[in-house]
Amino acid sequence: MSFSLSHPGYTPAEIMTIEASRRLKNGTVCFVGIGLPSAAANLARLMHAPDVVLIYESGTIGAKPDVLPLSIGDGELAEYADTVVSVPEIFRYWVQGGRIDVGFLGAAQVDRFGNLNSTIIGTDYAKPKVRLPGAGGAPEIASNAKETWIIIKQNLRTFVEKVDFLTSVGHLTGGDSREKSGARGAGPTAVISDLGVLVPDPVSKELTLAALHPGVTIEQAKAATGWDLKIASKVEAIAPPTQLELVTLRDLHERTARAHGVATTTD
Amino acid sequence: MTSNIMSLSDAIRRFVKDGQSLALEGFTHLIPTAAGHEIIRQKRRELTLIRMTPDIVYDQMIGMGCAKHLVFSWGGNPGVGSLHRFRDAIQNGWPNAVTIAEHSHADMAGRYQAGASGLPFSVLRGYVGSDLPKHNPDIKSITCPFTGEVLAATPAINPDVTVIHAQKADRKGNVLVHGITGIQKEAVLAAKVAIATVEEIVDNLEAPMNACVLPHWTLAAVCEVPMGAHPSYAHGYYERDNAFCREWEVISRERERFVEWMKANVMSTPNHAQFLTYAGIR
């Protein structure tokens, strides 16, 4: 685990996870991706949102895992869920049926309009530089949830002007293009990174820097973004992690590492 | 009545032929690994492999030259990383060229549902704005006759053979699946021929009223294969072998090491029980 020198005591991945978790309200129905979204959503459940409803694409509704799942279909998710449904049911009735408040996604790349790539790196589909796992459930979540949040580390490989492959729709080409495309819901309303938080401009829908983690500068955020990053008129300062937030997150990761024999921290 | 209960090697020999389309389904849970190994042992070739989430067993089948085409929506080693044999086949054509047809999960689920329902196609909204339809000619569009909305339409999947793994069967060959049931029911009902491997065969299924039971007459073969899902898991029987999933990352990275491992552990063992002992798993 590497600790940033500018914020002794916690890592950029920890503040990113903690800030994402703070945004999740009690009672929200959240469709959770594996990895960072799952860590943030479960931290919220342990901290301030005991009645948040976590749904995983393996069909577990109201999952309450004691340790973080290593994969989307871990038995832990089913064991303590309110109910377990089949994969067709989770997508037809629950996602396409419009029952998801927040679709919480990760990706390999995000662009200036919040479109996501989880398919290939490189622009030749037939001969990709890197073949990624693919779409999974993300296209349906991105086009049917009432809103989506994206959690992703911010650097020049991940924050790109245009995604190499548009797997899951964000605000498409900006303005009202998403609405016109037939996608439902508000699309990406927040991108939470290890540097801060970006939100779409209300009219152009271009992602705009709205908040920074402690010790991070606007210049650092600009330098880690592959387009000319717009800055909100007032950039909020995100509060540092509380001792309780840090201890709870670390306990969760330690329990998970013990259970799976593998670390789930992402840095 | 002729029983559908038989050995796995007999079931694969009788029902799986070169050139067929084949779905080995399971959603992280209950992946029919033993059946995949038997198909590798019997050297089936030119298969169209269908699965929402191809993982280790498809990596093995692709790497051993069973596949010519792959239909999928997410390909990886869950919780670990990439599938190296899958990537090598797509990117470098080793050991043979494998073409792909790529979908989303909801689409694959819908295609199986259409297949199980005897309908020609499935509709969905999820490809709005996505580049996937540009690269997959099976994703077309259709206009709703009631609202005028343009939706994606994809053809039904009706595999020549579907194989699933489940917890138990009774002596008539009725099969009980529980826990994360994924897409298995639809994949069985969509198939021309369906095979189930099970952890155990029991006198009485003791299935709760709303449990997922596949009646014996929907299955051509039921085979008792304890730990047949390893390194995946069977809820109520054993957990996922995460250590093996991580080890696979190392075994599969280089072609030579992969082939050596497959020869030593799969090709040189007559059945799954021997494989488990030989590979040091049980």
Side-chain angles (χ1 to χ4, degrees):
Chain A
M1 193 179 283
S2 63
F3 285 82
S4 163
L5 290 174
S6 56
H7 339 286
Y10 58 92
T11 68
E14 284 176 332
I15 182 72
M16 167 164 66
T17 310
I18 287 166
E19 174 58 16
S21 79
R22 288 169 178 165
R23 291 172 171 255
L24 200 53
K25 292 197 184 77
N26 201 18
T28 299
V29 177
C30 182
F31 201 108
V32 193
I34 276 294
L36 285 167
S38 175
N42 280 290
L43 178 61
R45 188 171 63 79
L46 295 172
M47 291 293 302
H48 61 275
D51 297 321
V52 68
V53 179
L54 304 187
I55 300 186
Y56 290 79
E57 69 188 13
S58 52
T60 57
I61 298 177
K64 291 170 273 296
D66 182 48
V67 300
L68 294 173
L70 196 61
S71 80
I72 208 81
D74 275 16
E76 179 84 12
L77 295 174
E79 198 81 57
Y80 307 108
D82 296 334
T83 183
V84 180
V85 301
S86 70
V87 165
E89 179 176 330
I90 204 75
F91 283 108
R92 294 238 180 233
Y93 301 167
W94 300 87
V95 179
Q96 293 176 141
R99 291 183 169 81
I100 307 300
D101 295 325
V102 174
F104 201 170
L105 300 170
Q109 288 183 331
V110 60
D111 72 15
R112 69 195 298 165
F113 293 111
N115 300 301
L116 300 179
N117 175 17
S118 51
T119 303
I120 53 160
I121 301 298
T123 47
D124 185 354
Y125 179 76
K127 286 266 169 225
K129 267 190 237 163
V130 182
R131 173 69 237 192
L132 302 167
E140 275 68 32
I141 298 161
S143 58
N144 288 287
K146 289 174 192 157
E147 61 183 302
T148 55
W149 298 354
I150 299 152
I151 183 165
I152 180 171
K153 286 190 178 183
Q154 187 166 354
N155 57 58
L156 294 176
R157 278 172 301 142
T158 55
F159 275 57
V160 296
E161 168 127 33
K162 190 173 184 302
V163 284
D164 289 352
F165 188 102
L166 200 167
T167 312
S168 309
V169 70
H171 296 292
L172 215 52
T173 55
D176 60 356
S177 61
R178 176 188 168 92
E179 207 182 322
K180 280 189 173 158
S181 76
R184 299 189 164 183
T189 53
V191 177
I192 301 123
S193 86
D194 51 345
L195 300 182
V197 177
L198 295 83
V199 299
D201 176 89
V203 179
S204 74
K205 304 291 184 191
E206 180 170 336
L207 294 176
T208 305
L209 184 69
L212 284 170
H213 295 310
V216 180
T217 64
I218 288 174
E219 288 64 41
Q220 279 175 296
K222 276 178 167 281
T225 305
W227 67 86
D228 184 13
L229 180 63
K230 295 217 166 51
I231 313 297
S233 52
K234 186 175 175 294
V235 176
E236 280 176 49
I238 292 164
T242 65
Q243 204 52 35
L244 184 61
E245 284 170 332
L246 267 183
V247 166
T248 309
L249 178 60
R250 286 174 186 174
D251 276 357
L252 179 61
H253 279 309
E254 275 169 29
R255 282 207 289 287
T256 302
R258 271 201 306 276
H260 294 314
V262 61
T264 53
T265 44
T266 49
D267 56 344
Chain B
M1 194 194 78
T2 323
S3 169
N4 62 5
I5 296 171
M6 65 185 79
S7 76
L8 178 59
S9 65
D10 284 351
I12 300 300
R13 196 166 293 110
R14 273 175 71 177
F15 297 113
V16 181
K17 309 290 175 198
D18 288 357
Q20 282 183 329
S21 63
L22 190 66
L24 271 64
E25 276 294 355
F27 203 87
T28 314
H29 183 212
L30 294 174
I31 291 160
T33 311
H37 284 177
E38 188 55 31
I39 290 164
I40 294 168
R41 278 189 202 102
Q42 294 191 21
K43 298 191 171 120
R44 292 295 180 275
R45 291 291 177 268
E46 303 268 300
L47 299 171
T48 288
L49 293 180
I50 304 163
R51 191 164 140 202
M52 292 182 65
T53 55
D55 67 354
I56 291 173
V57 70
Y58 269 28
D59 208 32
Q60 295 172 342
M61 292 172 77
I62 292 166
M64 292 302 282
C66 301
K68 70 161 185 195
H69 185 56
L70 183 69
V71 183
F72 76 108
S73 43
W74 191 94
N77 183 352
V80 178
S82 294
L83 293 177
H84 297 291
R85 297 301 98 226
F86 162 90
R87 277 173 63 165
D88 201 11
I90 294 173
Q91 293 177 356
N92 310 310
W94 190 91
N96 58 282
V98 173
T99 53
I100 60 170
E102 192 168 357
H103 296 266
S104 69
H105 279 351
D107 187 15
M108 287 293 286
R111 294 189 65 187
Y112 277 122
Q113 278 189 311
S117 310
L119 288 169
F121 68 93
S122 166
V123 292
L124 71 161
R125 188 179 290 114
Y127 289 125
V128 161
S130 173
D131 285 338
L132 281 162
K134 294 179 192 164
H135 300 281
N136 185 343
D138 274 344
I139 305 170
K140 297 189 190 301
S141 63
I142 192 166
T143 303
C144 170
F146 305 104
T147 64
E149 185 177 358
V150 176
L151 297 158
T154 54
I157 292 179
N158 291 103
D160 289 319
V161 182
T162 286
V163 188
I164 63 159
H165 186 73
Q167 277 96 348
K168 53 188 177 180
D170 63 19
R171 298 194 191 283
K172 273 177 97 174
N174 299 303
V175 167
L176 172 69
V177 192
H178 65 93
I180 289 173
T181 54
I183 193 70
Q184 285 96 311
K185 184 178 189 174
E186 291 74 16
V188 163
L189 297 181
K192 293 171 189 136
V193 168
I195 299 169
T197 57
V198 295
E199 286 299 318
E200 61 175 338
I201 293 177
V202 295
D203 289 330
N204 186 342
L205 282 184
E206 291 170 356
M209 196 174 282
N210 296 325
C212 180
V213 172
L214 291 160
H216 63 87
W217 45 270
T218 63
L219 295 152
V222 173
C223 321
E224 191 174 40
V225 187
M227 284 192 84
H230 178 276
S232 162
Y233 71 105
H235 214 127
Y237 288 82
Y238 50 92
E239 293 185 354
R240 191 164 181 263
D241 188 344
N242 291 319
F244 182 87
C245 296
R246 284 198 303 282
E247 203 183 326
W248 185 251
E249 162 71 23
V250 183
I251 295 166
S252 64
R253 195 169 267 279
E254 305 296 335
R255 292 171 184 175
E256 294 71 25
R257 171 103 190 252
F258 162 77
V259 171
E260 208 176 287
W261 191 91
M262 291 300 294
K263 278 187 180 158
N265 295 288
V266 178
M267 301 307 283
S268 66
T269 52
N271 57 41
H272 194 62
Q274 288 281 313
F275 160 78
L276 292 171
T277 309
Y278 218 78
I281 291 155
R282 194 184 203 182

